Amino acid sequence: MTATPRHFLDLDVLDADALRRILDLGAAYKAKRPPGGMEKPLAGKTLAMIFEKPSTRTRVSFEVGIRQLGGEAVILTHHDTQLGRGESIADTARVLSRYCDAIMLRTNKVANLTEMVRHATVPVINGLTDRSHPCQVMADVMTIEERKGEIAGKVVAWTGDGNNVAASWIHAAKRFAFELRLACPEQLRPSSDVLAWAKREGARIQLLTDPEAAIAGADAVVTDTWVSMDQENGNRESREKRHNLLAPFRVTERLMDRAKPDAIFMHCLPAHRGEEVTEGVIDGPRSAVWDEAENRLHVQKGILAWCMA
Ligand code: CP
Ligand code: NVA
């Protein structure tokens, strides 16, 4: 009987011990202390990466990461594979499982990820969906812990759209035992199923509409783009409406001053200076965004080793 592959799908379906193990692996690779002294634990292994939408950090950090662990990556974009001509996810999963040792998928629809998992016989990694972005938030947790010590008991404030990244932050709040305050417009709250999960699990989540209240005394302030990749088709009117709704949630120097004096600013990137964050904040002394981006590489290696080694 074949063992069930170790998928990395979402922070709500992985337990806290597994997530901590992944972070420890990532930290060991970052410190150049490969666990067990194994420099190249993925030698001879291949990761297939499918991108239905653009990526800089996720693509490069996975590709460089697997090479550093001794393996290789094959990059596939939706439009230049048979997926773009209608071949099913199921058949693609079956075929890629015969060639590759893991599959990373960045998709517009979470249902595509579910379908991939159903038919793949190798580990599947969620490289972002319309619903979540777990690899990102693992790197974010690593960044907070590097700057501020253990995240348990800390206060993280999210301000802006209650989007896919916010959903993974909600999952992380439970798994890593920190308090998460989200300030979002009523119309752009995180999805009700994620909020219901947080309630059931007893996660320390506060949902607010006032960014000042959310940020007061926070250890880390986080935001993201006002228009995610799956929302780019709106007309000018809907874009303006979104902009107006989200303008009060912009992270400014004045808003950052409400947080703890040593609070850090975080953003998964790409950023839009003058929209969700001012230049003074993202390029200022409290910004941790470049460490955060770098940590994608280290955490990706933790994820790859945990799934594949
Ligand atoms: N933060 C992030 O996932 O960036 P990319 O879209 O560039 O991969
Ligand atoms: N919320 C953003 C994250 C990009 C990394 C998006 O989905 O486009």
Side-chain angles (χ1 to χ4, degrees):
M1 204 174 83
T2 323
T4 311
R6 255 187 183 180
H7 304 298
F8 181 85
L9 297 178
D10 266 313
L11 306 187
D12 59 338
V13 293
L14 289 163
D15 63 41
D17 288 347
L19 298 177
R20 181 52 68 187
R21 170 84 187 128
I22 290 168
L23 286 184
D24 289 347
L25 283 166
Y29 289 124
K30 184 170 185 178
K32 301 200 174 14
R33 278 187 269 103
M38 279 183 74
E39 295 277 353
K40 306 282 180 195
L42 302 186
K45 305 233 178 187
T46 303
L47 171 72
M49 293 202 270
I50 306 175
F51 288 94
E52 284 182 10
K53 40 191 180 183
S55 169
T56 299
R57 281 144 289 268
T58 305
R59 175 182 165 155
V60 179
S61 57
F62 267 118
E63 189 169 351
V64 172
I66 192 156
R67 282 202 202 141
Q68 290 181 354
L69 297 183
E72 290 178 42
V74 178
I75 318 280
L76 305 162
T77 55
H78 190 256
H79 58 269
D80 56 28
T81 60
Q82 299 289 7
L83 278 169
R85 291 184 56 242
E87 187 169 16
S88 69
I89 299 259
D91 287 356
T92 306
R94 292 179 181 112
V95 171
L96 291 181
S97 297
R98 300 291 180 106
Y99 300 142
C100 300
D101 302 283
I103 302 167
M104 192 236 68
L105 177 63
R106 170 169 282 199
T107 177
N108 290 311
K109 284 194 289 212
V110 70
N112 291 347
L113 184 73
T114 312
E115 183 72 354
M116 183 68 76
V117 170
R118 186 173 304 136
H119 299 281
T121 54
V122 297
V124 177
I125 297 170
N126 175 357
L128 179 147
T129 73
D130 53 331
R131 305 296 297 279
S132 64
H133 196 2
C135 296
Q136 177 67 52
V137 174
M138 290 292 280
D140 297 353
V141 171
M142 177 187 240
T143 308
I144 291 180
E145 294 204 323
E146 283 175 350
R147 297 281 190 120
K148 310 207 48 149
E150 202 191 335
I151 196 168
K154 298 273 186 306
V155 177
V156 176
W158 172 277
T159 170
D161 186 16
N163 65 12
N164 48 358
V165 180
S168 288
W169 272 106
I170 291 173
H171 296 153
K174 172 63 190 173
R175 292 291 175 256
F176 292 100
F178 59 88
E179 180 182 338
L180 178 66
R181 301 188 203 137
L182 301 117
C184 310
E186 292 282 1
Q187 298 87 331
L188 298 173
R189 287 156 58 112
S191 68
S192 52
D193 56 333
V194 176
L195 293 175
W197 177 87
K199 195 168 176 195
R200 268 197 318 276
E201 295 281 326
R204 291 171 64 205
I205 306 287
Q206 274 191 62
L207 193 53
L208 306 160
T209 48
D210 176 4
E212 293 213 5
I215 287 172
D219 295 281
V221 176
V222 195
T223 192
D224 187 13
T225 179
W226 290 347
V227 183
S228 285
M229 289 180 272
D230 54 314
Q231 297 156 344
E232 278 167 348
N233 295 329
N235 58 24
R236 196 166 67 88
E237 198 185 335
S238 68
R239 277 202 304 273
E240 264 179 33
K241 195 169 159 213
R242 231 183 140 75
H243 191 283
N244 292 339
L245 272 176
L246 284 159
F249 296 83
R250 173 180 301 125
V251 183
T252 59
E253 289 88 330
R254 198 185 57 77
L255 203 53
M256 276 304 291
D257 286 342
R258 303 277 301 164
K260 282 198 179 141
D262 64 346
I264 56 172
F265 170 74
M266 305 181 73
H267 190 308
C268 64
L269 308 175
H272 307 80
R273 289 167 174 78
E275 292 193 9
E276 72 271 10
V277 61
T278 61
E279 204 176 297
V281 170
I282 192 167
D283 298 319
R286 292 181 281 198
S287 175
V289 300
W290 312 119
D291 284 354
E292 185 183 356
E294 178 190 331
N295 283 338
R296 294 294 306 275
L297 170 64
H298 306 300
V299 160
Q300 277 4 350
K301 289 197 278 183
I303 293 169
L304 289 166
W306 182 81
C307 289
M308 297 169 79

